[in-house]
Amino acid sequence: MTELSFIHRYEPATDPSRPPLLLLHGTGGDENDLLGLGRMISPGSALLSPRGKILENGMPRFFRRLAEGVFDEEDVRFRANELADFVTEARKAYGLEAPIAVGFSNGANIAAAMLMLRPEALSGAALLRAMVPLSRAPAVDLAGKRVLMVSGAMDPIIPADNSKRLAASLSASGAEIQHEILTAGHNLSQTDLQLLVRWFAE
Ligand code: MLT
């Protein structure tokens, strides 16, 4: 694997008409977790899958938190920029267009932060079980970016009004938002997969 600033896995595209995906795992996951999901939801896409650099009791994450659902926002900002820089590096190394982020949980939260802080790094995002990453959303222009958010109505980690606030904030910044709220908890379900497949096919 090419030496870049994040430990990562990379799979080249087999269908150049498909957009590259930036796969961002949840807390305790790693760069291998979402490769299968990526292949399933957008067959033939190039897959770029970094491992979060923060360790919380040995579990990789993309930024520090003070407690569950309470973020170290200075670190969120630092790590979102660091990850956007990695995307720039990887695009050069592998010859890629700006990717669509596909993030789960902590990975979805760093993707949302990247959209707000470094919108040029991503061409769009699928945010699975995301919450508001920054208490004050920076002014940003997300016109032309498609964002799918899939939340769980029974998610014990993310209050319903929090995910709705994130959707509203991304929409107010001009993103083309589709927010689906499933009868589900924090874990992904078959319905998440179906929504992702459909969203990528559109
Ligand atoms: C986070 O820390 O990003 C959220 O609480 C989701 C999680 O990783 O559990």
Side-chain angles (χ1 to χ4, degrees):
M1 194 53 52
T2 309
E3 283 288 327
L4 299 177
S5 60
F6 275 68
I7 294 171
H8 67 284
R9 294 269 309 263
Y10 175 69
E11 288 189 6
T14 54
D15 178 351
S17 72
R18 291 278 193 162
L21 307 189
L22 175 70
L23 301 171
L24 301 169
H25 62 78
T27 301
D30 68 20
E31 66 278 17
N32 300 301
D33 275 25
L34 298 182
L35 293 170
L37 178 84
R39 288 181 207 120
M40 215 172 340
I41 62 181
S42 185
S45 276
L47 304 177
L48 178 63
S49 187
R51 184 195 302 177
K53 289 190 178 191
I54 299 300
L55 281 181
E56 183 185 273
N57 303 319
M59 296 186 296
R61 290 175 49 82
F62 287 97
F63 57 82
R64 282 179 221 289
R65 63 180 164 183
L66 309 172
E68 193 170 273
V70 185
F71 302 152
D72 175 342
E73 294 200 14
E74 198 182 315
D75 197 57
V76 172
R77 288 172 188 277
F78 180 81
R79 299 295 166 187
N81 278 298
E82 182 184 52
L83 188 57
D85 291 342
F86 163 74
V87 170
T88 306
E89 261 175 62
R91 286 182 59 189
K92 279 200 199 112
Y94 299 123
L96 301 173
E97 314 263 280
I100 296 182
V102 177
F104 167 62
S105 190
N106 182 246
N109 297 340
I110 194 75
M114 281 170 78
L115 280 173
M116 291 172 176
L117 297 166
R118 293 285 295 275
E120 80 289 353
L122 301 174
S123 65
L127 308 175
L128 310 170
R129 308 301 184 272
M131 57 193 290
V132 174
L134 295 164
S135 44
R136 263 187 295 149
V140 66
D141 181 5
L142 296 177
K145 299 203 198 280
R146 289 177 77 218
V147 178
L148 172 67
M149 275 182 66
V150 190
S151 304
M154 294 164 318
D155 192 325
I157 300 175
I158 307 172
D161 71 301
N162 187 302
S163 60
K164 283 184 188 149
R165 253 195 301 136
L166 176 60
S169 149
L170 295 171
S171 169
S173 297
E176 195 189 312
I177 272 270
Q178 179 184 339
H179 187 195
E180 303 285 345
I181 301 169
L182 308 183
T183 317
H186 197 66
N187 292 334
L188 298 182
S189 68
Q190 205 56 39
T191 316
D192 286 89
L193 272 182
Q194 289 160 1
L195 284 168
L196 284 161
V197 167
R198 211 178 304 147
W199 186 76
F200 271 100
E202 274 163 17

